[in-house]
Amino acid sequence: MEAASQTAQLPDRGLGSLDVRRILPFAGLLALIAVGAYFAVESPLFLRWSNISNIIVQGAVVAIAAYGLTLVLIVGGGNIVTGGIDVSVGAVTGLSASLIAVCVAAGWPLGLAVLAGLGCAAAIGAINAIGAVIGLSALIVTLATMNIAAGVDTLLTDEAAVRLDHPVIEWIASSEVAGVPVIAAILALVTLLFYLAVHKTRIGLRAHAVGGNRISAHLAGIPIKRYVACAYLACALTAGLAGLLLVARIHGSSPGAGSILLLDIALASFISAIFSRHLVPNIPGTLLGAMFGALLTNGFTLTNVPTYWVTTVKGAVVLLVVGVAALASRQKDR
Amino acid sequence: MTFKGRDSRMVWTPVVALAAICALFTILNPTFASLGNAQVIVGHAAVLTLVALGMTVVVRTGGVDLSIAVAVDFGALVTVAMMHDGYTFPFALVGGVLAGVLLGCINALLIVGAGMDPILTTLGTLFLGQGAQAVYTEGGSPIFLPVESIPDAFYELGHLTLLGLPVAVFIALAAVAAFWVLLEKSTFGRTLVAIGAQRPAAEAAGLPVRRDLFLAYVICGGIGAFAGVVLSAGVSSYTPEAGYGYLLDAVGAVFVGTTMHKEGRPNVLGTLLGVLFFGVISNGMVLAGIPFQWQRIAEGGLLLAVLGANMALRRSPTPLFTSIGRILRPNQVGGGR
């Protein structure tokens, strides 16, 4: 009978002989292109360079903030049961933006205002870092700092938008450098820096090690606490930098602008794992994820779909991504 | 190596801290210590109590339910919408609670069925629910009930007072009692403890882990929705995203509450204390003339302070009861699984 031949077969891996993890990056890219194609068909305006560059600019703020979150995810271990997460990134971005806007509006030189914004972000990052190092749950600590940051943000802006008219900010917002918008150039630069640092240096490798297997990394002599602390600090600082770009993009600040970003930032960072073969959050995937979010928003706007559908779709995508990653990594364990 | 358990002094620290905070606020504004003010504090705490009870159940299993904010909103939304369309209160109430139960089922299916991580999953359902609300209300506008169509029962739920306290307070107290029995005296409660402590062991021991974990999330969603109904009864309307304010406070209340337990386990009485903590803080700040915007900052700061104090006062070198220990100190090498 078949019993004899069946003992020679490989164990059933669930989805037949399909190795989900290998095709996942391609499936992800395919999905991105498919969505883009859909919008291109539905709206003739979509593929115009001005629109594409708009998408890139919209996605830039999210992407930069998300790089920090991705770093935290990497160091914490992509499987976030015991590891890292930072839900305060959105609020910190907004806080930094508000602080910069308020300072500039009060007459401070831009450099000083930016320093203030980054300093504030660093303070929040320090709290997160300390909490993580002494072993507190990252979720709870960053939930608390998120509320603190949002509260200070509200305090600063008094629930009113601040409109700025500063030459440098205008330059960032509207000019071009070598044919691309300044913001896009900044994005490219930051992306390159992060990519090299996280994926091509020894420090980056060690960061992956800390996330991959904390005990082994510890035994190998890597200073865990330093890496964890630096990850949270870096995350907050990048959020602060994203805040500067946010100020440029909306020419000032607007109450709650940061907190709304949390969804997009989380989406970008979580989805990045799908774009990699090893299901680890990564910088290029984060960029793709951020662009995907911006693409969705932009496409829906062009096809006259109400904005709240976008939120729903993004939420569904987050769930889908997390689910697929969970199932795929379970398959790996068999 | 013996398991030392908690320093017995720990159990009273939060109560003493609460008393100290009350004393501080009384100094800042003597009205704080009046009976009328106490009634106000307790009255406002009712909804948070319900939400925090649901959170207690889930945190006990070693997870968290961030989407409870959405459960609150769904409960309010469905109930108010149904009454708006002419349904009587009993039907609307059932509908509202069912909405939360449904959300809980979705969470449970993903977390228990698909094995997804609770933090990420409930974060996802939180986002999704946010969007779903906006879609239903077509942009996020509140739903008001015209005065004539407010059912008496609903109105009384929100406005009736007994002994100077709103009905909601008694409902909350009844819920506290019910949940206390559920968590402390039933096998379900004990299974939850086992799941949180060492899930593989619980599964190996043959406990109905998947079923009870599933139930935990369903219960959380259900009571969250119920809290939303109570919330909307006070204002006879539904306001989108009103639930978010309760999320941090509920999580905070549960964690403050763990400091009352001998082994750091989330517990009903501790959660109640935690709720009072946050209620006292917001009320006291208003009476002391501190602007409203500082409230969020203070609540975040309070949560951090509690976590830090908890960590600092810990004497035992061995990890605490592992579920809360793992949540509070997930990165301790050598503990847990």
Side-chain angles (χ1 to χ4, degrees):
Chain A
M1 261 232 336
E2 287 125 24
S5 58
Q6 275 185 356
T7 53
Q9 278 179 346
L10 288 173
D12 185 358
R13 289 201 292 179
L15 287 168
S17 59
L18 213 58
D19 187 355
V20 178
R21 280 173 54 238
R22 271 228 305 260
I23 64 167
L24 215 44
F26 301 107
L29 269 169
L30 214 62
L32 191 66
I33 296 175
V35 173
Y38 168 74
F39 284 130
V41 163
E42 289 290 317
S43 165
L45 297 168
F46 188 72
L47 283 178
R48 286 216 191 133
W49 170 241
S50 59
N51 193 48
I52 303 280
S53 81
N54 195 27
I55 294 178
I56 294 177
V57 166
Q58 304 274 56
V61 175
V62 172
I64 291 182
Y67 292 154
L69 180 60
T70 300
L71 183 60
V72 167
L73 292 182
I74 290 177
V75 170
N79 172 23
I80 304 182
V81 176
T82 56
I85 191 170
D86 187 349
V87 288
S88 68
V89 279
V92 172
T93 305
L95 173 61
S96 156
S98 296
L99 189 55
I100 294 175
V102 164
C103 288
V104 170
W108 290 31
L110 183 63
L112 214 55
V114 171
L115 269 175
L118 288 178
C120 210
I124 302 276
I127 299 177
N128 290 336
I130 293 173
V133 161
I134 62 180
L136 295 178
S137 159
L139 174 67
I140 310 300
V141 173
T142 56
L143 197 60
T145 48
M146 173 178 88
N147 274 263
I148 293 178
V152 177
D153 185 353
T154 313
L155 217 56
L156 275 178
T157 56
D158 228 344
E159 288 290 3
V162 175
R163 169 84 207 190
L164 287 185
D165 206 358
H166 190 284
V168 177
I169 292 190
E170 287 309 312
W171 176 76
I172 297 180
S174 326
S175 326
E176 299 202 345
V177 142
V180 292
V182 174
I183 290 187
I186 296 179
L187 174 66
L189 191 63
V190 174
T191 305
L192 190 64
L193 282 171
F194 259 91
Y195 175 69
L196 290 175
V198 171
H199 293 285
K200 295 292 178 193
T201 64
R202 233 183 310 181
I203 292 181
L205 187 63
R206 289 191 184 135
H208 278 91
V210 171
N213 192 326
R214 187 170 290 219
I215 299 178
S216 301
H218 176 69
L219 290 174
I222 300 177
I224 307 277
K225 290 189 174 165
R226 199 181 307 170
Y227 274 80
V228 168
C230 285
Y232 283 98
L233 208 52
C235 182
L237 279 170
T238 21
L241 177 63
L244 170 61
L245 274 148
L246 181 62
V247 171
R249 226 190 69 210
I250 58 180
H251 303 280
S253 83
S254 150
S259 311
I260 302 172
L261 290 174
L262 179 61
L263 168 59
D264 291 273
I265 296 173
L267 176 64
S269 289
F270 293 172
I271 216 180
S272 70
I274 296 287
F275 290 117
S276 94
R277 191 169 304 178
H278 302 287
L279 290 179
V280 177
N282 60 90
I283 299 296
T286 307
L287 179 63
L288 283 173
M291 290 305 135
F292 183 56
L295 196 113
L296 277 177
T297 315
N298 179 283
F300 277 142
T301 312
L302 282 182
T303 53
N304 283 320
V305 175
T307 22
Y308 40 81
W309 273 111
V310 189
T311 317
T312 315
V313 169
K314 286 179 182 172
V317 171
V318 170
L319 272 182
L320 187 66
V321 163
V322 175
V324 168
L327 287 173
S329 68
R330 274 218 307 201
Q331 193 187 53
K332 168 183 69 167
D333 289 338
R334 283 195 202 185
Chain B
M1 181 171 70
T2 49
F3 176 69
K4 261 192 76 182
R6 295 169 60 89
D7 193 323
S8 60
R9 271 183 289 161
M10 279 292 252
V11 180
W12 300 112
T13 314
V15 181
V16 170
L18 182 61
I21 292 176
C22 286
L24 174 66
F25 281 128
T26 310
I27 295 173
L28 289 175
N29 185 339
T31 329
F32 182 82
S34 68
L35 179 65
N37 193 44
Q39 289 174 334
V40 167
I41 295 178
V42 170
H44 283 157
V47 174
L48 179 61
T49 306
L50 292 169
V51 177
L53 283 173
M55 190 68 84
T56 308
V57 173
V58 167
V59 175
R60 189 173 260 223
T61 67
V64 73
D65 185 357
L66 296 174
S67 67
I68 203 171
V70 164
V72 170
D73 285 333
F74 275 3
L77 173 59
V78 171
T79 305
V80 172
M82 283 178 77
M83 286 188 295
H84 196 264
D85 289 345
Y87 286 88
T88 56
F89 180 57
F91 278 112
L93 174 63
V94 168
V97 174
L98 272 180
V101 166
L102 183 65
L103 178 66
C105 282
I106 295 176
N107 281 330
L109 275 171
L110 294 173
I111 294 173
V112 179
M116 285 162 61
D117 172 65
I119 296 179
L120 289 183
T121 310
T122 55
L123 192 64
T125 40
L126 179 69
F127 287 147
L128 191 57
Q130 205 178 336
Q133 273 186 75
V135 167
Y136 182 83
T137 59
E138 283 173 18
S141 45
I143 301 178
F144 294 100
L145 284 179
V147 179
E148 324 76 63
S149 69
I150 301 179
D152 290 337
F154 187 61
Y155 187 79
E156 278 169 18
L157 175 63
H159 300 271
L160 193 65
T161 58
L162 292 171
L163 307 173
L165 295 171
V167 160
V169 172
F170 296 98
I171 294 180
L173 284 175
V176 167
F179 271 77
W180 186 83
V181 168
L182 183 69
L183 289 185
E184 305 294 336
K185 298 291 176 192
S186 75
T187 45
F188 174 68
R190 281 209 297 274
T191 310
L192 292 184
V193 170
I195 296 173
Q198 199 132 10
R199 182 168 168 179
E203 285 173 345
L207 292 176
V209 166
R210 290 171 75 94
R211 184 196 78 185
D212 286 0
L213 194 53
F214 196 97
L215 275 174
Y217 283 96
V218 169
I219 289 175
C220 186
I223 188 101
F226 183 64
V229 174
V230 174
L231 176 65
S232 63
V235 289
S236 299
S237 64
Y238 153 76
T239 320
E241 309 205 356
Y244 284 80
Y246 292 96
L247 180 59
L248 177 76
D249 290 356
V251 169
V254 172
F255 280 88
V256 167
T258 64
T259 61
M260 269 193 78
H261 192 276
K262 270 191 303 216
E263 285 167 349
R265 215 180 282 172
N267 63 97
V268 171
L269 292 178
T271 300
L272 188 58
L273 182 86
V275 167
L276 286 174
F277 241 97
F278 283 92
V280 159
I281 296 275
S282 33
N283 175 283
M285 288 201 324
V286 168
L287 281 184
I290 300 178
F292 171 74
Q293 287 94 328
W294 282 97
Q295 219 167 297
R296 243 182 136 176
I297 302 174
E299 284 165 8
L302 174 65
L303 186 54
L304 286 178
V306 168
L307 289 178
N310 210 18
M311 189 62 62
L313 291 171
R314 196 143 295 160
R315 300 271 157 74
S316 161
T318 54
L320 294 176
F321 177 73
T322 334
S323 85
I324 206 62
R326 196 180 303 124
I327 287 189
L328 283 181
R329 306 163 77 185
N331 301 316
Q332 189 156 49
V333 172
R337 298 174 195 169

